[in-house]
Amino acid sequence: MVMKSSVEEDEGGWGLGIPEKMRNNANWVDITQDFKGACKELKLGELLHDKLFGLFEAMSAIEMMDPKMDAGMIGNQVNRKVLNFEQAVKDEAIRVKDLSLPELIGIVDTCFCCLITWLEGHSLAQTVFTCLYVHNPELIQDPALKAFALGILKVCDIAREKVNKAAVFEEEDFQAMTYGFKMANNVTDLRVTGMLKDVEDELQRKVKSTRSRQGEQRDPEVELDHQQCLALFSRIKFTRLLLTALISFTKKETSAVSEAQKLMSQAADLLPAIHSTIQYGIQSQNDTTKGDHPIMMGFEPLVNQRLLPPTFPRYAKIIKREEMVNYFSKLIERIKTVCEVINTTNLHSILDFFCEFSEQSPCVLSRSLLQTTFLIDNKKVFGTHLMQDMIKDALRYFVSPPVLSPKCSLYNNHQAKDYIDSFVTHCSRPFCSLIQIHGHNRARQRDKLGHILEEFATLQDEAEKVDAALHGLLMKLEPQRQHLACLGTWVLYHNLRIMIQYLLSGFELELYSMHEYYYIYWYLSEFLYAWLMSTLSRADSSQMAEERILEEQQQKGRSSKKSKKKKKARPLGKEITMSQAYQNMCAGMYKTMIALDMDGKVRKPQFELDSEQVRYEHRFAPFNSVVTPPPVHYIQFKEMSDLKKYSPPPRSADLYMAASKHFQQAKLILENVASPDAEARMMCFSQY
C-alpha cells in the first residue's frame, strides 16, 4: 500500500543498499524513478492498493519508522551506548555494593512501577527486565538490593504461574514470555523470604537507633537518615508480605487463603508510609523517549530491544511512582476480596460472587487468583468439595427435586441414581466453563457467553429427558408426587441469566447505537425477564410443594398434637423481587425510547449496506442455538411491538407517562427489599 505524504521526502532516502551477493545472483531492475513518478500522480491522502494487499494485510503490516510500532526506532533516538548488566558493572556504570539509601529507595520504587506495568499487559522485557539488577542477582553484593531483586523475580514467577494456570487471559491482558531470563529458580521461596526478613530486621534496628528521644535536640541529618531507613524498611517488608501472600495461594489448604488475607492487610498498612517517602528515592531522568521509560542507575530501557519478537511491540509506558501506591492499594483490596470466596458454599452464591467481582474490571492477577482458589488443580472446589456435590446442593436449594430428597423413594433407587449422577456429571463441565468465563476481561466475556449458550442448550435437552424418566419412575412408586420440569427449570434459569447478561454487557461495552436501544430493552422486559420470573415462580412452587409433602410425612409419625408452624423464608423471594424491578426498569426504558423516537429525538442512520432487521438478527444471533426460550425473530418482534394494534394508538405523552409508572413501580419494589445489597441500593437511589 502506498500513501502520498504531505512532506516531500529527501531524494537520498529512496536508495537501498543491495548486498553484492544478491546483485550477482539476480537480474535487478531499478524502478526508483518509476515509483517516484507513480507517487506524484496520487493526490494528498490518496491510497493505492493491490488485490493481494487488502485491508487484512494492511492491518497486519508494521508501519516502519513509527516508534509505537517499530521497535528499532527507539534505539535510534538515543546517543548513549546500551550496556547489559555485566558490561555496566565492568565499566562501573552501576554499583553492586555500597549503594546509598536514596539509590536503593529509587531502584525499589522504579521496580515496583515496572512490575505493575507488566501486570497491565506489557512484556517482561520492556518492564521488569529493564532493571539490570534482576538479570543476575548473584553478582549483587548489597544485601538489601540482592534480597529485593530475588524477591521481585519470585513475585513475577508466582504471578506468571498463577495466570498461566487459570488461563483467563488474552494477549491484550498479559504476556507470560520470560525471554530466557532466569526467574531465581535456583533459590527456594523460603530462602528468599528469609533474606528479605534479615534485611528487614537490620533496617528496623537502624530505624530504632536513629529514632528521636524525648527532650533531645534533633540533628537534621540524623532525622533524614531515620526517614530514609524507615522508607526502605517499609518497601522491603511490603515485598516480603506480597511474596508470602502469593506463596500462600500456591498451597492447597483453605487456611492458607485466610493467611494471605491477613498478610494483605499488613501490606496495606505500609502503603501510607511508602507514599509519603517517594521523594526520598533518586529520581529518573528524562531522555528522548518522552520520559515514558525511567533512565537512572540500574535501568536501561533498550537493553532487551533485540529480544522483542519481529512484530509490532506494544509501546510500554512505565507508570509513575505516584500512581504505583494507588495501584497497589486497589490490588490489595481485590486480593482480600478474592480470599472471601472460600466463605461461600452454594454454587449460586459462588456464581454471583464471580459476577460481582468481574464487574469491578479487576486486573489479570486477581482474576487468576480467584480462579485457582475456586478450583484447585481443576479437581475440587476449594480443594475439598467435588463439583458434582456442589451442583446437587444447588439443585436442592433452587428447586428441591424429589430425587435428591432422602424422604423420597427415588433417593435409593439405583436407576434413578444413575440418571441423576449422569446428569450432574454432564453439568460439571459447562458450569466450570461458565465460572471460568467470568474470569476473563469484560469484552472477551461477552463473546464467550454467546458460545457457551450452545452447551447449555444441550444440557437443557438432557435435563428435560431425565425429568421425564424420573417422573415415570416416581409415578409407579409414589403416585401423589411428580418430577416434572425440576432439572429443566434449573438449567433454564441459568440459560436465561446468561442471555440477560449477554445483552446487558452490550450497554457496558457501548456496542449498541441509540436507535437500537428500544428492541434490546423490549427483548429484556417483555421476553427474558418475563421468562425469568416465570421460571423462578415455578421453582418456588416446586419447593413449597416438596415442603408440604415432607411436613405431611413428618406429621404422620408424630402425635396428634398440633405444632405451631414457623414461617420459612423463601430462598428465591429476593431474586423474584429484583427481577420484577429489573423488568419494570427495562419496560420503562423501552417506552421512553419509543416516545423519544416518536418526537424525533433519536437519530437514525441512512441504511445502505444493512437494515434494522440485519442489526436485530446480529444482536440476538447467539440465542438461535437455544430451544427454550425460543428466539423471537424480527418479524415476530415487529408484530408484537406494533403500536397500531391499540385503539387509539398511544401518543408520546402516553408513553412517557407509562414509562414513569414503570420507574415508580421499580422504585417501590426496591425500597421494600429486605436487607438490600449494594446493587439494590444503587438502583434505588442513583436512578430516581
Side-chain angles (χ1 to χ4, degrees):
M1 186 175 285
V2 179
M3 183 172 181
K4 177 70 173 175
S5 172
S6 59
V7 181
E8 290 298 323
E9 303 291 347
D10 181 22
E11 292 290 319
W14 294 95
L16 291 172
I18 301 171
E20 193 63 34
K21 187 177 178 183
M22 290 176 70
R23 285 179 185 274
N24 297 334
N25 295 344
N27 184 22
W28 291 92
V29 178
D30 188 353
I31 61 163
T32 305
Q33 295 306 320
D34 295 336
F35 179 72
K36 287 168 65 179
C39 286
K40 286 177 181 176
E41 292 178 22
L42 292 172
K43 294 177 183 176
L44 183 63
E46 196 172 14
L47 292 171
L48 177 71
H49 72 85
D50 187 78
K51 63 180 180 180
L52 297 176
F53 192 84
L55 181 62
F56 179 79
E57 288 78 15
M59 292 301 292
S60 305
I62 297 171
E63 188 176 341
M64 295 176 70
M65 313 298 284
D66 182 350
K68 291 188 179 181
M69 298 179 79
D70 188 347
M73 279 304 295
I74 298 175
N76 298 333
Q77 296 177 7
V78 295
N79 297 318
R80 67 177 185 277
K81 185 181 178 183
V82 177
L83 303 172
N84 62 27
F85 183 45
E86 287 76 10
Q87 290 169 340
V89 172
K90 188 178 179 182
D91 292 359
E92 298 183 355
I94 62 173
R95 295 198 305 280
V96 291
K97 62 179 180 179
D98 302 327
L99 279 85
S100 65
L101 287 171
E103 286 172 338
L104 289 168
I105 295 165
I107 290 166
V108 169
D109 282 352
T110 308
C111 265
F112 281 156
C113 293
C114 291
L115 173 68
I116 290 167
T117 308
W118 172 59
L119 290 175
E120 284 298 288
H122 294 281
S123 67
L124 277 168
Q126 292 175 293
T127 54
V128 176
F129 285 117
T130 59
C131 176
L132 300 177
Y133 288 110
V134 299
H135 288 204
N136 192 355
E138 296 301 319
L139 297 180
I140 303 171
Q141 296 176 34
D142 186 281
L145 186 56
K146 183 173 184 175
F148 173 77
L150 288 168
I152 210 78
L153 284 173
K154 285 290 181 185
V155 167
C156 289
D157 196 37
I158 295 171
R160 191 174 61 88
E161 180 199 342
K162 283 290 173 188
V163 174
N164 279 331
K165 184 179 279 189
V168 289
F169 69 95
E170 305 293 338
E171 59 182 356
E172 69 268 19
D173 289 320
F174 187 73
Q175 294 187 40
M177 270 189 71
T178 58
Y179 299 92
F181 285 104
K182 296 172 185 175
M183 303 299 287
N185 295 323
N186 58 328
V187 189
T188 63
D189 296 343
L190 191 64
R191 172 73 181 131
V192 174
T193 52
M195 290 170 72
L196 286 164
K197 187 74 173 85
D198 291 344
V199 171
E200 188 185 317
D201 292 342
E202 179 61 31
L203 286 167
Q204 193 168 28
R205 282 193 287 273
K206 285 184 181 179
V207 168
K208 286 179 180 177
S209 67
T210 54
R211 189 181 293 162
S212 61
R213 291 170 179 79
Q214 195 172 3
E216 183 186 46
Q217 191 172 357
R218 196 72 170 144
D219 186 346
E221 286 187 12
V222 176
E223 176 62 25
L224 179 63
D225 190 42
H226 171 75
Q227 292 296 335
Q228 289 174 348
C229 281
L230 188 61
L232 186 58
F233 165 78
S234 302
R235 284 155 174 78
I236 295 295
K237 186 176 181 180
F238 179 85
T239 307
R240 180 180 65 81
L241 291 170
L242 178 63
L243 175 58
T244 312
L246 289 176
I247 292 169
S248 298
F249 279 106
T250 62
K251 297 173 183 175
K252 294 184 179 180
E253 301 82 16
T254 50
S255 58
V257 178
S258 303
E259 182 63 28
Q261 195 169 24
K262 291 176 188 173
L263 292 165
M264 286 290 94
S265 297
Q266 292 174 37
D269 295 338
L270 295 169
L271 289 176
I274 293 173
H275 186 261
S276 62
T277 54
I278 286 173
Q279 73 276 12
Y280 290 125
I282 57 169
Q283 303 300 312
S284 59
Q285 305 163 356
N286 289 341
D287 69 345
T288 51
T289 59
K290 306 175 188 175
D292 293 343
H293 293 269
I295 303 297
M296 55 182 282
M297 187 180 77
F299 289 84
E300 176 50 76
L302 303 177
V303 70
N304 302 316
Q305 209 65 21
R306 294 185 181 277
L307 297 178
L308 297 174
T311 58
F312 36 84
R314 289 183 63 182
Y315 188 68
K317 182 177 179 180
I318 308 298
I319 71 161
K320 303 296 181 189
R321 294 182 189 180
E322 292 74 19
E323 299 167 21
M324 171 260 292
V325 177
N326 186 39
Y327 185 95
F328 273 135
S329 176
K330 290 177 180 176
L331 175 64
I332 287 169
E333 286 307 311
R334 288 194 294 265
I335 293 175
K336 283 162 72 176
T337 304
V338 165
C339 296
E340 290 169 12
V341 75
I342 60 171
N343 300 323
T344 55
T345 52
N346 182 281
L347 181 62
H348 291 184
S349 303
I350 290 169
L351 271 168
D352 289 340
F353 186 98
F354 273 76
C355 287
E356 288 168 19
F357 186 74
S358 173
E359 284 168 6
Q360 305 168 24
S361 294
C363 66
V364 69
L365 176 59
S366 49
R367 297 198 315 257
S368 302
L369 289 174
L370 181 58
Q371 291 288 328
T372 53
T373 303
F374 165 69
L375 208 61
I376 294 176
D377 293 335
N378 296 321
K379 290 176 184 176
K380 290 188 176 181
V381 177
F382 308 134
T384 53
H385 310 291
L386 286 170
M387 190 64 184
Q388 288 89 328
D389 294 338
M390 298 286 286
I391 290 168
K392 285 181 180 178
D393 289 342
L395 279 163
R396 289 189 190 99
Y397 168 83
F398 186 80
V399 79
S400 301
V403 71
L404 294 177
S405 171
K407 302 281 185 180
C408 178
S409 55
L410 287 181
Y411 190 72
N412 293 315
N413 184 289
H414 292 296
Q415 196 174 358
K417 258 189 166 182
D418 289 343
Y419 283 142
I420 192 68
D421 288 346
S422 174
F423 171 73
V424 167
T425 302
H426 291 162
C427 284
S428 297
R429 186 176 173 276
F431 275 93
C432 286
S433 298
L434 181 60
I435 287 169
Q436 189 179 39
I437 283 170
H438 287 103
H440 285 269
N441 66 52
R442 298 294 279 177
R444 297 285 184 169
Q445 268 185 46
R446 177 182 163 83
D447 185 44
K448 293 177 186 296
L449 284 171
H451 288 302
I452 204 172
L453 276 171
E454 295 176 17
E455 288 188 52
F456 273 83
T458 307
L459 207 59
Q460 176 92 43
D461 185 49
E462 184 181 350
E464 289 167 4
K465 289 176 182 174
V466 174
D467 270 330
L470 291 172
H471 181 68
L473 284 173
L474 190 59
M475 291 303 286
K476 293 174 185 175
L477 299 167
E478 293 181 60
Q480 76 277 15
R481 294 174 91 163
Q482 60 178 19
H483 205 294
L484 287 171
C486 290
L487 307 180
T489 298
W490 181 68
V491 177
L492 175 60
Y493 163 74
H494 286 287
N495 249 332
L496 290 164
R497 274 184 55 145
I498 294 167
M499 293 165 83
I500 289 168
Q501 191 178 349
Y502 178 84
L503 288 183
L504 291 176
S505 65
F507 289 108
E508 181 188 344
L509 299 170
E510 300 179 2
L511 299 180
Y512 309 134
S513 297
M514 191 171 284
H515 64 88
E516 296 180 281
Y517 283 6
Y518 85 101
Y519 53 72
I520 303 292
Y521 283 122
W522 178 89
Y523 210 102
L524 284 164
S525 65
E526 300 296 317
F527 193 65
L528 293 181
Y529 276 116
W531 268 86
L532 182 63
M533 285 196 297
S534 170
T535 304
L536 287 166
S537 299
R538 195 189 313 152
D540 195 46
S541 302
S542 178
Q543 279 185 347
M544 289 193 290
E546 193 62 23
E547 281 173 14
R548 277 196 302 271
I549 291 168
L550 290 174
E551 282 173 10
E552 287 170 9
Q553 288 177 346
Q554 286 171 354
Q555 283 175 356
K556 284 178 184 176
R558 290 178 184 171
S559 62
S560 57
K561 289 181 181 179
K562 289 184 179 179
S563 57
K564 289 183 179 179
K565 287 184 182 179
K566 289 184 179 178
K567 192 176 180 181
K568 290 186 179 179
R570 292 162 65 195
L572 304 177
K574 185 176 179 181
E575 192 162 359
I576 292 170
T577 305
M578 289 297 291
S579 297
Q580 287 173 338
Y582 274 119
Q583 187 188 32
N584 275 287
M585 287 283 289
C586 292
M589 286 302 299
Y590 163 65
K591 289 175 182 175
T592 302
M593 293 308 302
I594 292 290
L596 289 170
D597 186 36
M598 290 170 75
D599 289 344
K601 303 288 186 183
V602 179
R603 292 178 63 184
K604 290 188 175 181
Q606 296 294 322
F607 292 112
E608 292 180 10
L609 301 175
D610 66 348
S611 63
E612 185 177 77
Q613 181 173 352
V614 171
R615 287 188 173 225
Y616 178 95
E617 289 170 355
H618 174 70
R619 295 301 181 202
F620 302 111
F623 300 169
N624 292 333
S625 61
V626 181
V627 178
T628 309
V632 180
H633 298 292
Y634 182 73
I635 296 168
Q636 291 173 279
F637 157 69
K638 293 304 282 185
E639 288 172 359
M640 293 166 76
S641 62
D642 188 7
L643 297 178
K644 291 176 183 175
K645 63 185 177 184
Y646 299 103
S647 182
R651 295 167 298 141
S652 61
D654 301 328
L655 290 168
Y656 286 131
M657 183 58 69
S660 172
K661 288 177 181 175
H662 281 300
F663 292 139
Q664 194 63 33
Q665 182 64 24
K667 185 181 180 184
L668 288 170
I669 292 168
L670 290 166
E671 283 175 344
N672 292 322
V673 171
S675 61
D677 54 18
E679 183 183 16
R681 288 194 298 271
M682 182 189 73
M683 284 178 64
C684 190
F685 297 114
S686 67
Q687 296 293 331
Y688 306 105

